[in-house]
Amino acid sequence: MEKIELLSPAGDLEKLKIAFLYGADACYIGGYDYSLRANANNFSIEEIKEACLFAHNLNKKIYVVCNILFHNENLEGIDSYLKELENCGVDAVILSDLFLIEKIKKIAPKLKIFLSTQASVTNTLSVNYYKSLGVDRVVLARELTKEEIKEISSNTTCELEVFLHGAMCTCFSGRCVLSNYFTNRDSNRGGCAQVCRFSFDLDKKRKKSFSIATKDLNLAYYIKDLIELNITSLKVEGRMRSNYYLATVNSCYRNLIDAYYNNNLTDEVIEKNINILQRVANRESTSQFFKGYVNHKDQYYTGGFEPSNQDFLAQVLSYDKENHMAVVEQRNYFKVGDCVNLFGPNNVEVNFTIEKIIDSDGNNKDIANHPKEVLKINVPIEVSKDFMIRIKV
């Protein structure tokens, strides 16, 4: 049985490498143009080429989003861009504007064609229609239940991709113009200002505010159900998320997916990874539409409590073999005596107690409380710069 794909976002080259090292099978990225996350760092053509080389050396894949809704002014350069993507070795283009299908087949036929969730596909007839046009994969709308996904999957030979984790769109994806009206930023051409997360004053006398924001999506509990739906890919949202977020989310879902295929997806494994996932973001999460139609528990109405996440303690920069010390960049407060969790690529994870903290001048310290200060701390195993340290979960 071929394993289901774990698909991760990547906002730049560093994040892409982190996503792959922590378990992603493929990454979706955006170029400087034609992408719905214009505020991410995104990738130049040279960086896309480097991303493809890195991915393919690991036997992994790169998908480039080209999913804006095109106006005439956006058409300039699209032909040469598609050809450049093909020359870079990109595996697929994710699109929402259907004129691109014919262009890709004519200009860059080696590229696979994936239909974005922006197309809001919610039924079998639509999936099969798009397949007849030449679409290789359909990213289903995030508003489908488990039963609806199962019915579609049972009646198509088209590859299907389903959102697994991350932020939800309050409107059907690709159908929102709130950002246009409130901020003059086009949500369907990469400028979404996330107006749905604003707090609106409805009653100034009583100082009451109202929000229409959804809670995040988290389907960790349903990994077995998702795999057995016979879909191709599970997608994590978040091209603007941090390295720590990507490392944590990808490693957790890698653990859960592999546990399923190795026949050891126990309640203990599920609960451990869900606990980690619930701590990595500052928003609450639910299973959203997957379990059925959403209700008040899946949304913030009066503003959500979103505390700053302080679990991420340090990023490893290098390793001092002679002294068995890691050189780290501090991110949040920790001290001598703290029991912490060290985790890294290939599912490496170990708990240990911080016994020594040394600053850049060689002085011993009891606490680390200066953000991004470079320090040395004792670690129990040899590590690389890709390892991270967090609060013990």
Side-chain angles (χ1 to χ4, degrees):
M1 179 189 296
E2 187 174 347
K3 278 188 179 181
I4 199 166
E5 177 185 84
L6 176 59
L7 176 57
S8 173
D12 56 36
L13 268 173
E14 184 183 10
K15 291 175 181 177
L16 177 137
K17 292 174 181 178
I18 288 290
F20 280 138
L21 291 173
Y22 278 86
D25 298 306
C27 277
Y28 61 99
I29 65 176
Y32 289 158
D33 300 303
Y34 317 117
S35 161
L36 279 183
R37 286 294 178 269
N39 292 326
N41 289 338
N42 291 321
F43 291 70
S44 66
I45 288 297
E46 285 305 311
E47 288 171 329
I48 292 174
K49 186 181 297 184
E50 184 178 343
C52 290
L53 287 171
F54 184 84
H56 295 162
N57 282 337
L58 297 173
N59 198 29
K60 300 190 178 191
K61 296 179 180 179
I62 296 292
Y63 310 143
V64 173
V65 293
C66 193
N67 57 347
I68 66 168
L69 297 182
F70 283 74
H71 293 228
N72 281 332
E73 65 196 63
N74 303 122
L75 295 173
E76 184 177 352
I78 186 61
D79 290 16
S80 59
Y81 182 69
L82 292 171
K83 189 62 184 176
E84 284 180 316
L85 294 183
E86 183 183 56
N87 292 338
C88 286
V90 169
D91 295 284
V93 168
I94 304 170
L95 58 87
S96 59
D97 213 326
L98 297 184
F99 82 92
L100 284 172
I101 296 174
E102 185 177 353
K103 275 195 174 294
I104 290 171
K105 289 190 168 297
K106 181 178 179 181
I107 296 166
K110 293 180 183 177
L111 294 173
K112 285 194 171 184
I113 299 170
F114 295 173
L115 186 67
S116 170
T117 190
Q118 306 301 120
S120 301
V121 177
T122 56
N123 65 79
T124 308
L125 291 179
S126 290
V127 170
N128 288 331
Y129 171 71
Y130 289 124
K131 181 176 172 59
S132 74
L133 296 181
V135 168
D136 297 290
R137 178 187 295 183
V138 170
V139 186
L140 293 176
R142 283 175 271 195
E143 295 78 15
L144 292 176
T145 65
K146 172 187 170 182
E147 288 72 26
E148 289 173 318
I149 296 171
K150 182 178 181 180
E151 184 176 357
I152 292 171
S153 175
S154 300
N155 291 284
T156 188
T157 58
C158 187
E159 289 187 9
L160 299 176
E161 182 176 303
V162 170
F163 273 88
L164 175 67
H165 193 94
M168 292 286 289
C169 188
T170 299
C171 302
F172 259 73
S173 299
R175 306 300 171 100
C176 181
V177 292
L178 284 175
S179 183
N180 304 56
Y181 283 112
F182 279 86
T183 68
N184 202 29
R185 287 166 50 180
D186 191 339
S187 53
N188 299 307
R189 287 194 284 173
C192 180
Q194 295 189 321
V195 173
C196 55
R197 299 204 176 277
F198 290 7
S199 289
F200 298 94
D201 291 328
L202 295 185
D203 188 337
K204 291 186 178 180
K205 279 188 177 181
R206 289 181 291 175
K207 296 182 180 179
K208 292 285 186 180
S209 62
F210 180 78
S211 167
I212 56 173
T214 61
K215 296 178 182 179
D216 280 2
L217 174 69
N218 181 337
L219 293 182
Y221 185 78
Y222 299 97
I223 281 293
K224 180 178 184 292
D225 300 289
L226 286 160
I227 293 173
E228 293 177 356
L229 286 173
N230 196 32
I231 55 182
T232 304
S233 182
L234 296 174
K235 184 175 201 165
V236 175
E237 180 275 339
R239 278 192 283 144
M240 296 177 68
R241 300 278 195 168
S242 69
N243 289 1
Y244 172 65
Y245 179 90
L246 292 176
T248 303
V249 172
N250 280 298
S251 63
C252 284
Y253 281 112
R254 179 79 278 148
N255 292 340
L256 291 168
I257 291 169
D258 289 351
Y260 171 86
Y261 288 103
N262 293 329
N263 295 314
N264 61 0
L265 186 61
T266 63
D267 289 342
E268 183 181 359
V269 170
I270 294 170
E271 291 302 324
K272 176 186 175 181
N273 284 282
I274 287 177
N275 190 22
I276 295 171
L277 287 167
Q278 287 175 336
R279 294 175 63 94
V280 73
N282 60 351
R283 287 199 292 265
E284 295 178 57
S285 62
T286 76
S287 56
Q288 294 290 346
F289 288 87
F290 189 78
K291 69 182 186 306
Y293 291 104
V294 298
N295 58 33
H296 65 282
K297 295 181 181 179
D298 300 294
Q299 184 171 331
Y300 295 118
Y301 286 101
T302 56
F305 177 59
E306 300 183 1
S308 176
N309 184 288
Q310 297 181 346
D311 281 14
F312 183 23
L313 301 179
Q315 169 80 53
V316 174
L317 301 179
S318 62
Y319 180 67
D320 179 351
K321 287 186 179 181
E322 184 178 347
N323 298 301
H324 305 288
M325 302 281 282
V327 180
V328 304
E329 184 179 77
Q330 188 263 10
R331 296 302 173 87
N332 280 295
Y333 173 92
F334 60 88
K335 66 185 186 300
V336 170
D338 283 350
C339 187
V340 298
N341 179 259
L342 173 73
F343 73 111
N346 301 316
N347 202 27
V348 175
E349 184 181 349
V350 61
N351 294 326
F352 72 100
T353 299
I354 296 176
E355 298 172 349
K356 187 177 289 188
I357 303 173
I358 302 173
D359 68 18
S360 56
D361 295 322
N363 300 313
N364 287 312
K365 299 185 63 169
D366 293 325
I367 62 173
N369 59 354
H370 298 293
K372 296 205 170 182
E373 182 179 12
V374 176
L375 304 162
K376 283 187 178 182
I377 64 172
N378 61 287
V379 291
I381 60 173
E382 185 173 339
V383 294
S384 71
K385 68 179 181 64
D386 304 306
F387 278 69
M388 301 182 191
I389 299 170
R390 63 190 172 200
I391 290 175
K392 180 184 175 184
V393 179

